[in-house]
Amino acid sequence: MTLNYTSDESARELRSRAIARASIYVFEAPVRLWHWVNALAIVVLMGSGYLIGSPLPSMPGEASAIFTTGIIRFVHFSAGYILTVALLGRLYWAVVGNVHSRQLFRLPLTSLRWWSEVLFELKWYLFLERVPKKYVGHNPLAHLMMVSMFLTTLVFMIGTGFALYSEGAGYDSWQHLLFGWIVTLAGNSERLHLLHHLGLWMMGIFVFLHVYAAIREDIMSRQNLISTIINGERAFKDDEP
Amino acid sequence: MFDHDDSFYQVIRRQGVSRRSFLKFCSLTAASLGLGPMVASKMAYALETKPRIPVIWLHGLECTCCSESFIRSAHPLVKDVVLSMISLDYDDTIMAAAGYQAEEILEETKARYKGRYILAVEGNSPLGNDGMYCFPGGVPFVEKLKSMAADAQAVIAWGSCASNGCIQAAKPNPTQAVPIHKVITDKPIIKVPGCPPIAEVMTGVLTYMLTFERLPELDSQRRPKMFYSQRIHDKCYRRPHFDAGQYVEHWDDEGARKGYCLYKMGCKGPTTYNACSTVRWNDGVSFPIQSGHGCIGCSEEGFWDRGSFYSRLTDITQFGIEKNADEIGAGAGVVLGAAVAAHAAVSAVKQVSDKKNKKNKDL
């Protein structure tokens, strides 16, 4: 079955439940765990990354006794590894997990019905629609943003991040073997640094929009959102289709 | 001057260099190339027996800083190497011959050493107006370059001009100067970037080619890995201050006097591949960072067009005005913040009015 994550499908899934006001188990435990590990890693990476680009004021004392930038870089690299391993785990779960665990990794770009609902959601956000539709997973606009803005930026940051790491690790490192081609593609280390730095701002903008949209939708849409990513259950506020 | 078939050893013995000094040079060069002790004797054998490589040294659009670096190499023996290990058959800047006599050598070498000589190119060729902006010996330089490259075994691009274009190819590049790999596409090219490159790096590359009769191992940008596989930052003697978080904040502060890391002053060491922090300059006396100024990244492609030498972030000119990544990010953040705040306010009004409507309906 190919899923387009449209409201029709959500309605069917809802109807299939015996009780009214169904709550559906959407985000399985590994997905929720990944979300929070990932969120924490991103916050740590953004903070430490910014401090690598614009370091703290100079430390007094002997260089042999302090390791401030060293620790910040260590934190950045560790969080980067955790982020990467978590994403690999998340990819595995997309294979073995439920239908909703795959939503992050595929876009039904050929479905006209789906595109019309992207447009509908856009109008809902622009106050041109009075009543929103119901969605079990991400709504189509959120889905589009998740893949095009979040996942793309995440993969871009992992790729450029490991490419930068490979510059220090050297030519015989596995980081160079796997990611060295990105340094070549960027053409120049300084440009690669710049791209990675712009990625920080892109991710920051995503986090900002993501949190705002989650809170707003939790209040104004017809389903809950924030508790879903905590306990996995999607509850609906009314029985209308 | 010398017989073309003389070996390097024969030539330097004739110049009064002792065998002891010669062997010292071999060990030193082997060590600087990162090769084992056995290689020194292999190198000595090669330099004793093989005829010197004929080299044609062309000058295009350039400032001659590569030649200046080359002939000023502080190690006395290195100077001899430069002028005697290779059979420098043509170099219009330092050769005695002039005019037709000089230009004849080009044709002669081309015929006699077809497919064997090395073409060393300092500077690059402007392509604008059919190459009229560089016109040595009555022909556009680009023609001279193409014709000499046709019969060479390999081409060495000395310096940033030949390797990356350097200042004459910087925006707006009025003469349309291009690095030589844009002109010569069918020959192996080794790039030795730097403005200028380090003398010991130049001799190291030549010695390797003479000893092993092949090109040194190159990276993805065709630079010899032995000198360009690490960044200045990786081997910088100020690196402990970077890791400690001790930075020069102003040119005249305590940190500058104490020799702290120049990262915040825009040092390009972390993004520049070169051997300055290990080989250093002027017989290992110093290099820019040791002299208190950040690296400007002269051996990196397009270094003139990457914004200030004194800022960490590259200027981004694609948006019309020069901005760096943080300014663009903060700008986007402010605009977005304002938009979201407005959106949230309208949302709140809508939520309240919807509730009111619902209440009215329920009544």
Side-chain angles (χ1 to χ4, degrees), chain A residues 73 167-170, chain B residues 31-34 225-243 261 267-280 287 289-290:
Chain A
R73 293 175 81 235
E167 293 196 288
Chain B
S32 80
L33 296 175
K225 271 188 181 173
M226 55 183 81
F227 296 112
Y228 293 91
S229 63
Q230 281 187 312
R231 295 163 299 180
I232 308 284
H233 188 61
D234 294 321
K235 288 277 173 70
C236 183
Y237 83 105
R238 294 193 182 196
R239 180 62 187 262
H241 289 299
F242 170 81
D243 288 330
C261 175
C267 177
K268 301 289 186 290
T271 54
T272 304
Y273 287 84
N274 208 337
C276 301
S277 53
T278 43
V279 177
R280 306 192 189 194
F287 71 111
I289 294 167
Q290 195 172 344

Side-chain angles (χ1 to χ4, degrees), chain B residues 195-249:
Chain B
C195 193
I198 306 168
E200 285 74 13
V201 168
M202 299 170 93
T203 26
V205 170
L206 279 174
T207 312
Y208 187 97
M209 288 167 76
L210 183 64
T211 309
F212 299 106
E213 290 184 322
R214 61 162 191 260
L215 302 185
E217 204 185 332
L218 306 178
D219 69 5
S220 62
Q221 290 190 29
R222 294 186 247 188
R223 301 173 293 198
K225 271 188 181 173
M226 55 183 81
F227 296 112
Y228 293 91
S229 63
Q230 281 187 312
R231 295 163 299 180
I232 308 284
H233 188 61
D234 294 321
K235 288 277 173 70
C236 183
Y237 83 105
R238 294 193 182 196
R239 180 62 187 262
H241 289 299
F242 170 81
D243 288 330
Q246 295 177 318
Y247 304 99
V248 176
E249 313 268 354

Side-chain angles (χ1 to χ4, degrees), chain A residues 192-210:
Chain A
L192 187 63
H193 277 79
L194 175 69
L195 291 171
H196 194 67
H197 199 107
L198 285 171
L200 156 76
W201 288 102
M202 191 66 165
M203 192 53 101
I205 287 169
F206 168 78
V207 170
F208 189 61
L209 285 175
H210 179 63

Side-chain angles (χ1 to χ4, degrees), chain B residues 19-275:
Chain B
R19 179 164 176 81
R20 187 183 170 78
S21 298
F22 165 70
L23 291 175
K24 264 159 81 180
F25 163 75
C26 291
S27 325
L28 193 81
T29 306
S32 80
L33 296 175
L35 303 168
M38 294 309 291
V39 178
S41 55
K42 210 171 154 187
M43 192 175 281
Y45 180 76
L47 294 175
E48 278 167 357
T49 52
K50 285 177 192 160
R52 297 171 306 150
I53 317 176
V55 174
I56 297 291
W57 188 308
L58 296 183
H59 297 258
L61 271 194
E62 45 93 338
C63 72
T64 317
C65 77
C66 301
S67 291
E68 291 286 352
S69 167
F70 208 42
I71 61 176
R72 271 174 180 71
S73 51
H75 204 293
L77 202 53
V78 174
K79 181 198 73 190
D80 291 333
V81 167
V82 165
L83 297 176
S84 49
M85 74 180 280
I86 55 175
S87 163
L88 191 57
D89 293 350
Y90 177 92
D91 185 333
D92 46 24
T93 307
I94 56 174
M95 70 198 295
Y100 292 113
Q101 199 190 354
E103 298 306 306
E104 249 173 40
I105 299 171
L106 288 180
E107 290 310 313
E108 196 192 306
T109 309
K110 215 165 124 72
R112 187 166 166 196
Y113 299 102
K114 196 173 166 73
R116 280 166 58 205
Y117 65 90
I118 288 173
L119 183 68
V121 186
E122 184 178 345
N124 56 23
S125 56
L127 302 182
N129 284 342
D130 299 324
M132 292 302 155
Y133 298 113
C134 187
F135 211 76
V139 279
F141 178 69
V142 60
E143 301 301 325
K144 193 172 170 181
L145 179 60
K146 276 183 188 161
S147 108
M148 288 315 292
D151 290 323
Q153 63 159 294
V155 182
I156 303 179
W158 284 147
S160 290
C161 296
S163 304
N164 306 320
C166 208
I167 194 164
Q168 61 272 42
K171 284 177 197 120
N173 192 0
T175 63
Q176 292 171 44
V178 291
I180 61 162
H181 67 261
K182 295 270 171 68
V183 177
I184 302 162
T185 48
D186 56 347
K187 293 284 170 187
I189 294 177
I190 312 164
K191 293 180 180 176
V192 187
C195 193
I198 306 168
E200 285 74 13
V201 168
M202 299 170 93
T203 26
V205 170
L206 279 174
T207 312
Y208 187 97
M209 288 167 76
L210 183 64
T211 309
F212 299 106
E213 290 184 322
R214 61 162 191 260
L215 302 185
E217 204 185 332
L218 306 178
D219 69 5
S220 62
Q221 290 190 29
R222 294 186 247 188
R223 301 173 293 198
K225 271 188 181 173
M226 55 183 81
F227 296 112
Y228 293 91
S229 63
Q230 281 187 312
R231 295 163 299 180
I232 308 284
H233 188 61
D234 294 321
K235 288 277 173 70
C236 183
Y237 83 105
R238 294 193 182 196
R239 180 62 187 262
H241 289 299
F242 170 81
D243 288 330
Q246 295 177 318
Y247 304 99
V248 176
E249 313 268 354
H250 302 284
W251 289 117
D252 55 354
D253 68 2
E254 189 63 19
R257 272 190 290 280
K258 285 184 171 166
Y260 283 176
C261 175
L262 293 156
Y263 188 80
K264 285 188 182 175
M265 306 311 290
C267 177
K268 301 289 186 290
T271 54
T272 304
Y273 287 84
N274 208 337

Side-chain angles (χ1 to χ4, degrees), chain A residues 50-71 73 124-127 129-132 149 163-171 176 180 183-184 186-191 193-194 197-198 200-202 204-206 208-209 212 216 219-221 237, chain B residues 219-221 223 225 228-231 233-234 239-249 258 260 263-264 268 270-273 300-303 306-308 311-316 324-330 332-333 336-337 340-348 350-351 353-354 357:
Chain A
Y50 185 81
L51 288 180
I52 292 170
S54 310
L56 295 165
S58 285
M59 294 292 167
E62 283 298 319
S64 55
I66 39 179
F67 198 56
T68 311
T69 304
I71 289 169
R73 293 175 81 235
W124 157 246
Y125 271 95
L126 292 171
F127 310 103
E129 292 287 345
R130 191 155 281 279
V131 185
M149 192 171 175
L164 289 169
Y165 191 89
S166 82
E167 293 196 288
Y171 278 109
H176 176 77
V183 185
T184 308
N188 172 287
S189 175
E190 193 175 339
R191 190 181 295 138
H193 277 79
L194 175 69
H197 199 107
L198 285 171
L200 156 76
W201 288 102
M202 191 66 165
I205 287 169
F206 168 78
F208 189 61
L209 285 175
Y212 171 67
R216 181 182 187 269
I219 298 167
M220 296 183 67
S221 79
K237 298 174 189 168
Chain B
D219 69 5
S220 62
Q221 290 190 29
R223 301 173 293 198
K225 271 188 181 173
Y228 293 91
S229 63
Q230 281 187 312
R231 295 163 299 180
H233 188 61
D234 294 321
R239 180 62 187 262
H241 289 299
F242 170 81
D243 288 330
Q246 295 177 318
Y247 304 99
V248 176
E249 313 268 354
K258 285 184 171 166
Y260 283 176
Y263 188 80
K264 285 188 182 175
K268 301 289 186 290
T271 54
T272 304
Y273 287 84
E300 285 297 314
E301 183 257 324
F303 78 102
R306 295 190 195 284
S308 168
S311 76
R312 272 244 57 76
L313 279 172
T314 316
D315 286 344
I316 299 169
N324 72 32
D326 280 345
E327 287 170 324
I328 287 170
L336 193 76
V340 166
H343 196 264
V346 179
S347 297
K350 176 180 154 60
Q351 183 75 356
S353 77
D354 280 2
N357 285 344

